[in-house]
Amino acid sequence: MKLFPVLVMLTACAARPQDLSGKMFTFPLESNRAHVRLNASRLDFSSLTLCHRSFTDLKRDHVLFSLATPVHSNNFLIFWDGTNKEIEPHIKDRKAEFGGRDYKPNMWHSICTMWDSESGLVQIWFNGLPSIRKFVNTGTNIIGPVIIILGQEQDSHGGGFDIKQSFVGMMSDVHLWDHILSSCEIQNYVDELNFTPGNVLNWSALEFEIIDRVLIENKLMTCH
């Protein structure tokens, strides 16, 4: 009798904050299940700065970061629109569109997104270059409970995943701050110099849960 290996999908948790310096999450296949849930204790945000690095060969739409609350599934969503070739931050279900970015496949990109509730302005920094500021939403904070997910786009609080919006590739150096970073701080992040890590999400002390097929590997680097 010929035996076949059985693949068992497990859920992996970081019981305490884990230092992922020099590591990356690898999302190796298109899925409507595989994701990483990031734990954050904060429930109220008047401003946010998110920075991350990603590497993919996807040409279709895909999610880069998803923060949802029971009221707004796209409370703070970073999305690549493959049809219009735009990075689209969504704030409380309203989006801004940033085209003209050289989002090449098969290379690392550093993307930082900033939003402030008082002004209602959102801005991205793509590989160290700033965009203009655009108005999306003003007057109210992002109020939890929040669910933060890498790898899937939430159409409901913690679920509603669409396989054709899933992320396939590698992601690393995810930091989230509850304030607006200065241009110098963003440049230090992009250049991988010393910077103050995120006080909401800190890649060097990250609490997370892996669901389904996501791997932790040494970060893929290019040698010159």
Side-chain angles (χ1 to χ4, degrees), residues 5-11 212-213:
V6 177
L7 180 63
V8 179
M9 297 298 185
L10 299 176
T11 297
D212 215 80
R213 178 57 64 183

Side-chain angles (χ1 to χ4, degrees), residues 79-92:
F79 194 80
W80 172 255
D81 182 332
T83 301
N84 296 310
K85 310 300 181 189
E86 296 172 340
I87 296 175
E88 298 176 347
H90 296 239
I91 312 296
K92 290 181 283 188

